[in-house]
């Protein structure tokens, strides 16, 4: 059975996944330029929309944790960078 995450691990996980989702989102959006096949273009747009939702959820979670004072001091700068 997996051990529960500490608040520090949870914040680090959110920061890492927010940054990864943002990077992938940008790559997918750039990939839609020049794609003329409607099926492929539609698939890329759907992937971007899914990632945008995930990115929003990660940011919202970090924002609420920050408001609640749950962000460890050593990760505060990373969280502020992700929330920009």
């Amino acid at each position: 059975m997996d051990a529960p995450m500490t608040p520090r691990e949870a914040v680090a996980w959110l920061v890492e996944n927010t940054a990864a989702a943002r990077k992938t989102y940008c790559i997918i959006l750039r990939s839609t330029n020049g794609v003329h096949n409607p099926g492929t273009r539609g698939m890329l747009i759907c992937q971007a929309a899914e990632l945008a939702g995930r990115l929003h959820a990660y940011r919202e979670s970090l924002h609420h944790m920050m408001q609640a004072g749950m962000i460890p001091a050593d990760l505060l700068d990373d969280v502020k960078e992700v929330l920009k």
Side-chain angles (χ1 to χ4, degrees), residues 7-83:
R8 186 184 189 300
E9 290 171 329
V11 170
W13 184 87
L14 280 168
V15 167
E16 181 180 323
N17 282 285
T18 304
R22 182 187 320 167
K23 180 179 180 182
T24 305
Y25 173 74
C26 291
I27 290 168
I28 289 173
L29 283 183
R30 281 192 295 269
S31 297
T32 60
N33 294 334
V35 174
H36 301 292
N37 180 307
T40 303
R41 189 172 178 86
M43 179 194 66
L44 289 169
I45 291 169
C46 288
Q47 285 179 342
E50 180 185 344
L51 278 170
R54 191 177 305 160
L55 185 59
H56 177 73
Y58 289 153
R59 284 181 172 167
E60 187 175 342
S61 297
L62 284 170
H63 179 72
H64 289 307
M65 291 178 81
M66 195 165 159
Q67 285 181 327
M70 297 173 65
I71 306 294
D74 61 329
L75 292 175
L76 198 53
D77 289 337
D78 293 335
V79 170
K80 287 179 182 177
E81 181 66 30
V82 166
L83 292 177

